[in-house]
Amino acid sequence: MRVIVHLPGLLRSDADGAAHVPVEVDGPVALRGVLDALVARRPGLDRRIRDERGLLRRYVNVFVDECRTIGGLDAPVHDGADVRLLPSVAGG
């Protein structure tokens, strides 16, 4: 199955400037599998989106088809999905 991962400007330098990266995964798959396929193509992204335990960094938000993922890395992802990685926004 094919999924498109959209990257914010902050992550594009680790993806050769790409705004989005198409990834192929053997489906059905969870978000973890999509991220594994993404970093197989763009290894520099791994340290930016996951910590040393393989969990999403706390400042990375993930949306699948414009809905925030429920279930974290185990959230299901369907064929043709748009996965968006977005940094958290904080301030006051």
Side-chain angles (χ1 to χ4, degrees), residues 62-85:
V62 181
F63 292 78
V64 176
D65 293 331
E66 299 186 23
C67 295
R68 187 160 185 185
T69 57
I70 297 174
L73 293 173
D74 296 322
V77 178
H78 63 86
D79 185 30
D82 283 320
V83 175
R84 296 181 187 279
L85 302 178

Side-chain angles (χ1 to χ4, degrees), residues 6-86:
H6 300 269
L7 304 173
L10 293 172
L11 296 178
R12 292 177 189 170
S13 63
D14 291 304
D16 297 327
H20 60 273
V21 178
V23 296
E24 297 285 337
V25 292
D26 294 329
V29 70
L31 180 58
R32 181 182 324 274
V34 171
L35 295 180
D36 288 345
L38 173 66
V39 301
R41 292 199 59 202
R42 306 291 186 187
L45 289 170
D46 196 33
R47 65 180 170 76
R48 303 283 306 274
I49 60 176
R50 297 192 285 198
D51 65 17
E52 60 281 345
R53 297 170 294 155
L55 302 175
L56 283 175
R57 293 194 179 276
R58 63 177 226 235
Y59 59 81
V60 175
N61 293 307
V62 181
F63 292 78
V64 176
D65 293 331
E66 299 186 23
C67 295
R68 187 160 185 185
T69 57
I70 297 174
L73 293 173
D74 296 322
V77 178
H78 63 86
D79 185 30
D82 283 320
V83 175
R84 296 181 187 279
L85 302 178
L86 298 171

